[in-house]
Amino acid sequence: SQTIHQWPATLVQPVGSPLSLECTVEGTSNPNLYWYRQAAGRGLQLLFYSVGIGQISSEVPQNLSASRPQDRQFILSSKKLLLSDSGFYLCAYLLEGTGELFFGEGSRLTVL
Amino acid sequence: SQELEQSPQSLIVQEGKNLTINCTSSKTLYGLYWYKQKYGEGLIFLMMLQKGGEEKSHEKITAKLDEKKQQSSLHITASQPSHAGIYLCGADKGNQFYFGTGTSLTVIP
């Protein structure tokens, strides 16, 4: 069966510091992968999605970047964090043929 | 981008009461998905609707998609504290998957 993991679960970082959030999927090959951000417990904003290794599509211009160095690994990064980067970040993969997204446990980032 | 508006933004109901959450799209939907999120956790898939007029039920939750495939409603019958959380509608557009603005539900015992 497929599983998805994110880490770290919680992160407190100073403004200007770098960021790396990692997401890995098991039990599936070549999944579509997604990074979302949720602010103030509201709707999810799609940040990046990837349909394959090295293929990244960005939805909104921002201080963040994403990479997919391996088929089942998706990384969200920043070189210098801003206060506005605080939020709850969720990684997800698409279960092929169903249209159903499976989400990781989420990573809560607080930038001080 | 696909825009999905949900209403109401938040809802507080007494246990046992019925409630409805709405999701409206500015464009015709190919597929409409409902998810539930416990506070501070990932999302859990509830239901997927694809055909105009389609209706699906799971336990006390019923979701409908209108004939024009631009509006969906989620109805909870006899709400329980376990129904509390954030409900989000979502839609796919090719490889992109968008979510609505979310509805926060509180159920008072």
Side-chain angles (χ1 to χ4, degrees), chain A residues 53-112:
Chain A
I53 296 174
Q55 300 178 62
I56 308 294
S57 295
S58 174
E59 281 295 291
V60 293
Q62 57 210 325
N63 186 41
L64 303 169
S65 61
S67 62
R68 186 168 177 175
Q70 299 180 42
D71 181 43
R72 287 172 282 183
Q73 185 184 30
F74 204 22
I75 299 172
L76 185 69
S77 305
S78 174
K79 291 183 180 178
K80 289 185 179 182
L81 283 168
L82 305 172
L83 286 174
S84 57
D85 291 324
S86 294
F88 190 54
Y89 289 83
L90 287 158
C91 177
Y93 75 91
L94 184 66
L95 186 63
E96 192 173 355
T98 69
E100 183 178 345
L101 281 177
F102 283 88
F103 285 83
E105 304 92 342
S107 299
R108 185 163 301 282
L109 170 66
T110 303
V111 182
L112 302 174

Side-chain angles (χ1 to χ4, degrees), chain B residues 23-108:
Chain B
C23 175
T24 303
S25 170
S26 57
K27 301 177 182 177
T28 300
L29 300 164
Y30 294 104
L32 189 286
Y33 306 81
W34 282 100
Y35 285 80
K36 178 188 174 185
Q37 183 184 27
K38 289 282 190 183
Y39 295 104
E41 298 180 9
L43 279 67
I44 304 296
F45 172 79
L46 295 175
M47 276 173 274
M48 176 177 69
L49 304 166
Q50 289 186 304
K51 300 176 183 177
E54 187 175 6
E55 178 176 324
K56 287 187 178 179
S57 293
H58 176 68
E59 297 180 344
K60 294 185 178 180
I61 301 176
T62 300
K64 300 178 185 179
L65 182 63
D66 75 337
E67 290 291 342
K68 292 185 178 179
K69 297 173 65 176
Q70 284 189 274
Q71 190 164 10
S72 178
S73 61
L74 186 82
H75 184 78
I76 299 177
T77 303
S79 59
Q80 300 169 354
S82 60
H83 287 127
I86 298 175
Y87 288 82
L88 296 115
C89 62
D92 60 344
K93 181 182 177 184
N95 290 311
Q96 300 159 334
F97 203 105
Y98 297 95
F99 285 91
T101 46
T103 296
S104 176
L105 172 64
T106 302
V107 180
I108 300 172

Side-chain angles (χ1 to χ4, degrees), chain A residues 22-41:
Chain A
E22 190 162 343
C23 172
T24 59
V25 180
E26 297 176 359
T28 184
S29 297
N30 197 33
N32 280 14
L33 296 172
Y34 304 81
W35 275 113
Y36 291 90
R37 176 169 58 199
Q38 185 177 39

